[in-house]
Amino acid sequence: MRVLLIGSGGREHALAWKIAASPLLTKLYAAPGNPGIGREAELVTLDIADHAAVARFCMEEKIDLVVVGPEGPLVAGIADDLRAENIRVFGPSKAAARLEGSKGFTKDLCAKYDIPTAAYGRFGDLASARAYVEKMGAPIVIKADGLAAGKGVTVAMTLDEALAALDACFDGSFGQAGAEVVVEEFLTGEEASFFCLCDGATALPFGTAQDHKRVGDGDIGPNTGGMGAYSPAPVMTPEMIDRTMREIVEPTMRGMAELGAPFSGVLFAGLMISDKGPKLIEYNTRFGDPECQVLMMRLKDDLLVLLNASADGQLAHMSARWRDEAALTVVMAARGYPGTPEKGSVIRGVEEAAGDCVEIFHAGTAINSGALVANGGRVLDITAVGGTVGGAQRRAYAALDRIDWPQGFCRRDIGWQAVAREQVR
Ligand code: AMP
Ligand code: GLY
């Protein structure tokens, strides 16, 4: 099979690594990719926002399947535009990607299908949003409706913070994404990420993970795209997975089909787990980054077979098998992240640091005059498997400490909740 992978982050490097291991693969291209992905795939310079150019490339190169990594192109309708040219795609249509592209759309779907989630209101103007927030009081959560690169959510512990967040949305801080606002009840519990592969009708459970969104040790400081993750998530017991499928994922699949927007691709449910069960915080319509990296380390099956089954509506006949071991990834970021990261510093020793049970995925790197340099906020994902989360954590940090990059930083406590649980047992 000839495959084109769209994207350039650590998630896409992990996907490329796993796709490249498939005996079905004859040629892998990646657009735009990064130097790590370049070890697994031929990189092509394509403007991925130009869907006609991507389609032309696929026809010229006889691409059998396009795998779309990030949400941006999906929400912009790349899957529809490629399918219109009879090109097979792994990923949801524009209408189905509204599950990520509009928080209000998802909340209304939850209300209609009785899917457990935080109580909410949707607002298109500041005055009515303010009135609702003042009535509900803090803590409360303010969300820009559209895609805001992970920055559109404020968990406000005080009324002042909540009102400031509303002002920011309606001031245009998030552009069009903030023209509408969702205000939500503050949920408590433990967060977990739950993934399903979907083909429009069937949802196949596809692993669990937990990530660390805050930049600092002890889960403090500003939110990021994720500073590390591990899999499996201990809170996602078989019973909790069953409930999540029954109460959240299956009604969503049914609802999307009824709306004429059957969902195919990866459905990534961000969950809050409490003693009352799972509640949906949000959906994403692609793999998590860095959650994908730990899932790929644990997946035993041929990823390409599963992606094909999703694209062809054949998931009802499939299963996914996982290594019993845990996997954990630590993100190395460039100084300044999640604000403006410093670019261009030289990174040494990456190849030497990887080894048995350790993969180093590139997230934001480039080659400059032959040297590997930082080229983004999140730069490297040091990813390891081990018999326990603690074991994977020790391996990942041992590898990380062999990398010579003074301008990089990481959290030192990725996996702490799971490791604490293991120590109690
Ligand atoms: P989101 O981008 O929707 O995943 O939100 C980012 C983070 O904000 C989530 O991972 C949660 O930690 C937090 N969050 C979002 N919604 C809520 C909520 N209703 N209650 C508590 N925390 C929330
Ligand atoms: N790590 C969270 C996300 O990919 O949205």
Side-chain angles (χ1 to χ4, degrees):
M1 277 186 74
R2 298 170 65 79
V3 177
L4 170 65
L5 172 67
I6 306 262
S8 63
R11 165 182 50 211
E12 287 77 21
H13 188 183
L15 291 172
W17 173 75
K18 194 68 187 162
I19 291 171
S22 168
L24 294 179
L25 186 78
T26 50
K27 177 78 190 181
L28 180 61
Y29 292 101
N34 68 36
I37 297 172
R39 290 208 306 264
E40 313 287 354
E42 182 176 334
L43 304 185
V44 284
T45 342
L46 263 179
D47 176 4
I48 57 178
D50 182 350
H51 299 174
V54 176
R56 256 193 323 277
F57 174 84
C58 292
M59 289 185 279
E60 280 162 19
E61 294 300 329
K62 301 194 165 40
I63 297 298
D64 299 301
L65 182 71
V66 178
V67 179
V68 186
E71 62 278 15
L74 294 168
V75 170
I78 196 168
D80 311 67
D81 292 337
L82 295 178
R83 286 184 187 126
E85 303 290 345
N86 290 319
I87 298 161
R88 291 169 66 247
V89 184
F90 174 77
S93 68
K94 182 175 181 165
R98 280 179 296 174
L99 284 176
E100 174 158 5
S102 168
K103 294 185 189 294
F105 171 82
T106 298
K107 297 299 285 189
D108 288 353
L109 184 92
C110 290
K112 185 166 173 198
Y113 290 91
D114 220 6
I115 295 168
T117 186
Y120 73 107
R122 284 179 84 168
F123 303 96
D125 70 282
L126 180 61
S128 49
R130 274 189 82 105
Y132 183 79
V133 165
E134 276 163 359
K135 185 176 96 200
M136 303 303 282
I140 195 159
V141 183
I142 312 295
K143 300 184 173 182
D145 181 77
L147 292 185
K151 300 198 174 100
V153 174
T154 304
V155 178
M157 299 316 286
T158 65
L159 200 57
D160 283 348
E161 261 180 277
L163 296 175
L166 283 181
D167 286 340
C169 284
F170 288 110
D171 276 354
S173 297
F174 306 111
Q176 206 40 40
E180 188 178 316
V181 167
V182 171
V183 180
E184 269 184 23
E185 167 199 8
F186 173 74
L187 298 175
T188 54
E190 186 166 349
E191 279 187 61
S193 302
F194 178 62
F195 299 86
C196 289
L197 286 186
C198 305
D199 67 1
T202 299
L204 175 71
F206 201 65
T208 64
Q210 279 174 294
D211 84 341
H212 293 268
K213 285 227 167 74
R214 303 298 189 112
V215 74
D217 283 18
D219 293 317
I220 56 165
N223 261 321
T224 70
M227 293 300 289
Y230 54 95
S231 172
V235 282
M236 293 307 286
T237 58
E239 296 72 37
M240 199 56 75
I241 290 176
D242 279 352
R243 282 192 64 178
T244 304
M245 288 303 291
R246 223 175 30 246
E247 296 171 23
I248 298 178
V249 174
E250 280 159 10
T252 299
M253 293 296 287
R254 233 178 7 254
M256 293 304 285
E258 281 175 21
L259 286 173
F263 187 87
S264 76
V266 189
L267 187 62
F268 162 6
L271 301 173
M272 189 70 88
I273 308 294
S274 74
D275 47 9
K276 294 202 188 64
K279 282 192 176 177
L280 181 70
I281 298 176
E282 64 157 4
Y283 275 131
N284 297 301
T285 60
R286 35 90 190 161
F287 281 110
D289 188 349
E291 291 93 327
C292 184
Q293 289 80 314
V294 286
L295 293 181
M296 292 306 116
M297 292 290 273
R298 292 188 56 236
L299 179 64
K300 280 192 193 163
D301 292 299
D302 183 337
L303 178 66
L304 204 42
V305 169
L306 290 159
L307 301 183
N308 273 323
S310 161
D312 295 341
Q314 295 296 321
L315 278 175
H317 314 292
M318 307 295 291
S319 61
R321 288 168 308 152
W322 303 93
R323 295 171 67 155
D324 291 330
E325 291 98 328
L328 180 139
T329 187
V330 182
V331 172
M332 287 187 90
R335 250 187 341 230
Y337 181 74
T340 309
E342 290 172 20
K343 285 191 182 178
S345 52
V346 175
I347 308 166
R348 293 186 182 84
V350 173
E351 301 273 337
E352 299 75 6
D356 211 19
C357 302
V358 179
E359 293 293 329
I360 298 178
F361 297 118
H362 291 224
T365 62
I367 302 286
N368 191 353
S369 310
L372 186 70
V373 298
N375 190 39
R378 295 187 293 171
V379 175
L380 294 169
D381 306 315
I382 312 341
T383 313
V385 288
T388 57
V389 175
Q393 185 195 52
R394 276 191 298 280
R395 269 198 189 123
Y397 281 111
L400 185 149
D401 287 331
R402 288 198 287 272
I403 294 172
D404 174 13
W405 181 31
Q407 294 83 358
F409 75 94
C410 66
R411 279 181 60 164
R412 281 278 157 191
D413 63 347
I414 299 303
W416 66 267
Q417 304 98 322
V419 173
R421 271 201 181 96
E422 287 169 355
Q423 282 163 353
V424 171
R425 259 192 271 136

